[in-house]
Structures are given as C-alpha cells and as structure tokens.
Amino acid sequence: MESDEAAASPQASGGTVTPAPKKRGRKPKIKEDSQTQQQEQSGGKMKESSGKKTKQEEQSVDEKYTQWKGLVPILYDWLANHNLVWPSLSCRWGPQLDQATYKNRQRLYLSEQTDGSVPNTLVIANCEVVKPRVAAAEHISQFNEEARSPFVKKYKTIIHPGEVNRIRELPQNSKIIATHTDSPDVLIWDVETQPNRHAVLGAATSRPDLILTGHQDNAEFALAMCPTEPFVLSGGKDKSVVLWSIQDHITTVGTDSKSSGSIIKQTGEGGDKTESPSVGPRGVYHGHDDTVEDVAFSPTSAQEFCSVGDDSCLILWDARTGTSPVTKVEKAHDADLHCVDWNPHDDNLILTGSADNTVRLYDRRNLTSNGVGTPIYTFEGHKAAVLCVQWCPDKSSVFGSSAEDGLLNIWDYDRVSKKSDRAAKSPAGLFFQHAGHRDKVVDFHWNAADPWTIVSVSDDCETTGGGGTLQIWRMSDLIYRPEEEVLAELETFKSHVMTCASKP
C-alpha cells in the first residue's frame, strides 16, 4: 500500500553519524535536537562576543521574518508552509495528476537528508495547488511554522543509496527522475513503479531503475535533463561533464505521462534482478580546472549544453564538434560559480549565480573563443552566495535566484532599463523578494503547469538548529501583470475604495 501521510514523519531514535560536511556547508540536523547539537558543536569554546553576535543575528532574522509574515495577505495570492523534520536539498514539481474547481493535484519530489539514524530518502508527495484568486487572505498568513501543511501529503518513500543532493525530472515524462548523491554515479528512478518503503534504521536501500556511469570521482550537484530528447547531463569533482542518452531504456508507452505501466525497459540479462542495469556515457567533456557545480542544456538542442564550476568558468559545449569547449569564459564571476540556467524562450541568454553574491546574464553571441565574456548585466541583490537560478516558464525576461541569505529574489531584465528614481533603493530589475525562509534557500522550482507558482526549500541548520522549511507560494498577480491591466482592474473598484475611505 502506498501511503498518503503528511510528508514529514517523526524520526527513530539512534546514534548519529554526521556525514563529512560539503563545501556549501550543508550538515543535516534533526529539528528536535537543535539545542543539544548546537551545544555539542560549540563545545563551550565559543567566545562570549561571538555568542552575542549570533543572538543578534538570530533576532534580526526573526524581526525580518515577522515583518514579512505581516505582509503575506497583501503580497501573496497563496502560500503553504510545510515543516520538514529533515532538510531537503532539492525540490521539483512532477506531473499534474488531476484538476478540480478550486485546486489541482500534482506530484512533488523532495528528499530527507538525515544524520544516519534513519536512511536518507527520496520522497514523492502529492501536493494540492490552490488555484489563483481562490485562497482567502486571512487564511494564507495563519500558519504554524512547526506544523506540516495539509496541502502536502507523502505518497511514496524511496530509500536512497546515500543522501539526495539534487533531483531532476525528465521533461518528456516527469515520472522519470534522476538523482545525485555522494558517488560518481547518476541514479535514474521510475517513481511510479518503485515500491513504497518504510525508512527505518537498517532497511535495505531501494534499487535504482538505471545507473549512469562515467565519472571518475564524486558527482554531487551538477545535474540536468534535456528538454528535447531523453539525455542526461552531469558534472563532478573529476572536473568533467558527462553526457548520457537513456533513449534505449525507455519504452514508447512510457512517454505517455498518464501511463501506469513501467517506463523503464527491463533488460533481463542473465535474469539477475538484484542489480540495476548500467549505462555508459555518450560523451565525456574536459575543460574545467576544478569541480563542476552545475550544468544546463540548450532549450533547442540536445547536443549543446553549458557548465559552471569552482574555477569561476562558464563553458559552452557542442557534442557535434568534439569533447573540448566551444567557448570558455575564464572569469565569469569573481568567485566559485554555483548555478547556471539557459533561457527556454531565447537560446542566446544564459544565467549564472556565484559565491560572489551576484547573478550575471550572458548573451552567448557576445562570448568569444579566447575566453573574453562580458555579461549583459550583473544583478546585485543578495548578501550571500547564490545557490540556484532559474528562468520563469511564463515570461522570457523573468527569473528567480535563491541564496544563502535566505532570500528568493524574482527579477525582470526588462525592468532594468525602466528603473525609476522612485525605486532607486531597490536593485535594478528586482520586483519581488520572497523572505519566508529564515535560512539558506538551497533550491526552488517554477511550476510549469501553474507558471507563477513556486516551490522553495531551505536548510534550517543555522537558524532553528535543524530540519528544513518547504514553501509553496504564488505572488499576487497585481505585482507581475502589465501595469495597464492592473490599473484597469483597480479602476473597477475605485468608487468602492473611495466610499470606504470617506467613512469616519
């Protein structure tokens, strides 16, 4: 039986085995143990002054959060807050399941990064997405930060071999997903046919439907699925970018998103069902001098892709011309690059995010083979390293960026040139700031089925001592719609507003 329980469950007690910390400072902590773990980490060696500074910082975070929560009924059309006992380092939308009058039901992919007392898991949840202009303003702001949302229900649990660092869905069929863990392999899962598991200490891991091999060292974060063909792209600590095709391993019936049967072909070689079939690379590409942190496909070609890494480089590749870079921007940022995204509406535009706290927009037509590359614009609005960037599926000039400062900024490049003196205090292009997270926002994803709805997740180990926060939200359409449309709508209510204002 597949469960439909809330997507966060009480954890079993047991000894903790904390994995080696990542370069991005991600350490899993269970929320219930926050005070104890903070004391253990400090070991009583922290100076009084640094302790006071931490309290001041926490107070500042709480004050900003309180201010944000008070504005929720004004700024948001809908918001759901879901407490995670264990942090999730990735969040992705899956297929839309059904539509109703006031809400739609849709798959949501999450993970549980544990401390070893229980297994790491890949979580398939069902999410009820409330339709625009349905939720009452007074309801969306009345939530308990420590509670689980009634809109998010766990559907299935997969016991993952190692922690889940990254989740990506196959655009041709979002029931197929790829995951990155602390190993050289990429794991492919058919989430519909995977059995539901009970995550208890000592339980055997679930068996991936496919294993993609080719990296010579751990590949932890850089992962992408091609929008045009069933290709997978990855980057890792071996400084390489690896490309696979899983075309031969997917049944034709599987391309139908409503198919309930298996969409991964059974190889049946030797009749051994205890081991997952493996797929070797279609190509291995060398050009980076340090860890590859993120990769992205061109929206129009499975043969063209880009990558960024800790060597501060942005590299463009074309599989048709060999395994060497087509274009290499040596100094794309002033620090490590964490993320990259290729505009799905305009295949000339590429976004990059970096540890230098900025997002840069590049036009590949302006990049030259000698490593010279000047960004069209540098977006400065974060106060800490940028961890994720993604273009909006609905409007070609809009994108989001999340960072270690706990903010998820929504930008519109078209507004950069229209910036008025009235808005001089805000960074150019920034038109919405989601401040509902109180710690680093490690991932977010625009909903293609409901384009202005976003799911975002934060790893709360620094502020609340552990766990994470999942939020599903949609800003008011009065914020992003064309100004003339908004003014016309407001004009409709003008007499009513004036009448109310004139009352004593």
Side-chain angles (χ1 to χ4, degrees), residues 11 18 100 121 181 188 232 243 255-256 322 347 351 377 410 412 464 485:
Q11 306 302 316
T18 304
T121 65
T181 185
I188 304 294
V232 183
L243 176 69
T255 57
D256 177 7
D347 64 0
L351 283 172
Y377 196 78
I410 306 298
D412 187 345
T464 63
E485 278 187 26

CSV table of all heavy atoms in Angstrom, one decimal, residues 11 18 100 121 181 188 232 243 255-256 322 347 351 377 410 412 464 485:
chain,number,residue,atom,x,y,z
A,11,GLN,N,11.2,10.9,13.6
A,11,GLN,CA,12.3,10.1,13.3
A,11,GLN,C,12.6,9.1,14.4
A,11,GLN,O,12.4,9.4,15.6
A,11,GLN,CB,13.6,11.0,13.1
A,11,GLN,CG,13.3,12.1,12.0
A,11,GLN,CD,12.9,11.5,10.7
A,11,GLN,OE1,13.6,10.5,10.2
A,11,GLN,NE2,11.9,12.1,10.1
A,18,THR,N,27.2,11.8,11.6
A,18,THR,CA,27.2,13.0,10.7
A,18,THR,C,28.1,12.9,9.6
A,18,THR,O,29.3,12.6,9.7
A,18,THR,CB,27.6,14.3,11.5
A,18,THR,OG1,26.7,14.4,12.7
A,18,THR,CG2,27.4,15.5,10.6
A,100,ALA,N,-9.4,20.2,-10.3
A,100,ALA,CA,-10.7,20.3,-9.7
A,100,ALA,C,-11.1,21.8,-9.8
A,100,ALA,O,-10.4,22.6,-10.4
A,100,ALA,CB,-10.7,19.9,-8.2
A,121,THR,N,16.2,9.5,2.2
A,121,THR,CA,15.1,9.1,1.4
A,121,THR,C,14.8,10.1,0.3
A,121,THR,O,15.2,11.2,0.4
A,121,THR,CB,13.8,8.9,2.2
A,121,THR,OG1,13.4,10.2,2.7
A,121,THR,CG2,14.0,7.9,3.3
A,181,THR,N,24.0,11.8,-5.7
A,181,THR,CA,24.4,11.5,-4.4
A,181,THR,C,25.9,11.7,-4.2
A,181,THR,O,26.5,12.1,-5.2
A,181,THR,CB,23.9,10.1,-3.9
A,181,THR,OG1,24.1,9.9,-2.5
A,181,THR,CG2,24.5,9.0,-4.7
A,188,ILE,N,18.8,6.8,-11.9
A,188,ILE,CA,17.5,7.0,-12.6
A,188,ILE,C,16.4,6.2,-11.9
A,188,ILE,O,16.6,5.0,-11.7
A,188,ILE,CB,17.6,6.6,-14.1
A,188,ILE,CG1,18.8,7.4,-14.8
A,188,ILE,CG2,16.3,6.9,-14.8
A,188,ILE,CD1,18.6,8.9,-14.8
A,232,VAL,N,20.8,13.0,-20.4
A,232,VAL,CA,21.1,13.4,-19.0
A,232,VAL,C,22.5,13.9,-19.0
A,232,VAL,O,23.4,13.4,-19.7
A,232,VAL,CB,21.0,12.2,-18.1
A,232,VAL,CG1,21.3,12.6,-16.6
A,232,VAL,CG2,19.7,11.5,-18.1
A,243,LEU,N,27.8,13.2,-20.6
A,243,LEU,CA,26.5,13.1,-21.2
A,243,LEU,C,26.1,11.7,-21.5
A,243,LEU,O,26.9,10.9,-21.9
A,243,LEU,CB,26.6,13.9,-22.6
A,243,LEU,CG,25.4,13.9,-23.5
A,243,LEU,CD1,24.3,14.7,-22.9
A,243,LEU,CD2,25.8,14.4,-24.9
A,255,THR,N,6.3,7.2,-22.7
A,255,THR,CA,6.4,8.6,-23.0
A,255,THR,C,5.0,9.3,-22.7
A,255,THR,O,4.9,10.5,-22.7
A,255,THR,CB,6.8,8.9,-24.4
A,255,THR,OG1,5.9,8.2,-25.3
A,255,THR,CG2,8.2,8.4,-24.7
A,256,ASP,N,4.0,8.4,-22.5
A,256,ASP,CA,2.7,8.9,-22.1
A,256,ASP,C,2.6,9.2,-20.6
A,256,ASP,O,2.8,8.2,-19.9
A,256,ASP,CB,1.6,7.9,-22.6
A,256,ASP,CG,0.2,8.4,-22.1
A,256,ASP,OD1,0.1,9.5,-21.7
A,256,ASP,OD2,-0.7,7.6,-22.3
A,322,GLY,N,33.1,17.7,-30.9
A,322,GLY,CA,34.1,17.0,-30.1
A,322,GLY,C,33.9,17.2,-28.6
A,322,GLY,O,32.9,17.7,-28.1
A,347,ASP,N,17.4,31.1,-26.7
A,347,ASP,CA,18.6,30.2,-26.5
A,347,ASP,C,19.9,31.0,-26.6
A,347,ASP,O,21.0,30.4,-26.6
A,347,ASP,CB,18.6,29.0,-27.5
A,347,ASP,CG,18.7,29.5,-28.9
A,347,ASP,OD1,18.8,30.7,-29.2
A,347,ASP,OD2,18.7,28.6,-29.8
A,351,LEU,N,22.0,32.4,-17.6
A,351,LEU,CA,22.2,33.0,-16.3
A,351,LEU,C,23.2,32.2,-15.5
A,351,LEU,O,23.3,31.0,-15.6
A,351,LEU,CB,20.8,32.9,-15.5
A,351,LEU,CG,19.7,33.9,-15.8
A,351,LEU,CD1,18.5,33.5,-15.0
A,351,LEU,CD2,20.1,35.3,-15.4
A,377,TYR,N,24.3,42.0,-18.0
A,377,TYR,CA,24.0,42.7,-16.8
A,377,TYR,C,24.4,41.9,-15.6
A,377,TYR,O,24.4,40.7,-15.6
A,377,TYR,CB,22.5,43.1,-16.7
A,377,TYR,CG,22.3,44.2,-15.7
A,377,TYR,CD1,22.5,45.5,-16.0
A,377,TYR,CD2,21.8,43.8,-14.4
A,377,TYR,CE1,22.3,46.5,-15.0
A,377,TYR,CE2,21.5,44.8,-13.5
A,377,TYR,CZ,21.8,46.1,-13.8
A,377,TYR,OH,21.6,47.1,-12.8
A,410,ILE,N,12.9,37.6,-7.2
A,410,ILE,CA,12.4,37.5,-8.6
A,410,ILE,C,12.7,38.7,-9.4
A,410,ILE,O,12.4,39.9,-8.9
A,410,ILE,CB,10.8,37.3,-8.5
A,410,ILE,CG1,10.5,36.1,-7.6
A,410,ILE,CG2,10.3,37.1,-9.9
A,410,ILE,CD1,11.0,34.7,-8.1
A,412,ASP,N,13.2,40.9,-13.3
A,412,ASP,CA,12.7,41.1,-14.6
A,412,ASP,C,13.7,41.9,-15.4
A,412,ASP,O,13.9,43.1,-15.1
A,412,ASP,CB,11.3,41.7,-14.7
A,412,ASP,CG,10.7,41.8,-16.1
A,412,ASP,OD1,11.5,41.5,-17.0
A,412,ASP,OD2,9.5,42.0,-16.2
A,464,THR,N,17.3,27.5,13.1
A,464,THR,CA,16.5,26.8,14.1
A,464,THR,C,17.2,25.5,14.6
A,464,THR,O,16.6,24.8,15.4
A,464,THR,CB,15.1,26.4,13.4
A,464,THR,OG1,15.4,25.5,12.3
A,464,THR,CG2,14.4,27.6,12.9
A,485,GLU,N,-3.2,46.7,-17.3
A,485,GLU,CA,-4.2,45.7,-16.9
A,485,GLU,C,-4.6,45.9,-15.4
A,485,GLU,O,-5.8,45.9,-15.0
A,485,GLU,CB,-3.7,44.3,-17.1
A,485,GLU,CG,-3.9,43.7,-18.5
A,485,GLU,CD,-3.5,42.3,-18.5
A,485,GLU,OE1,-3.6,41.6,-17.5
A,485,GLU,OE2,-3.1,41.8,-19.6
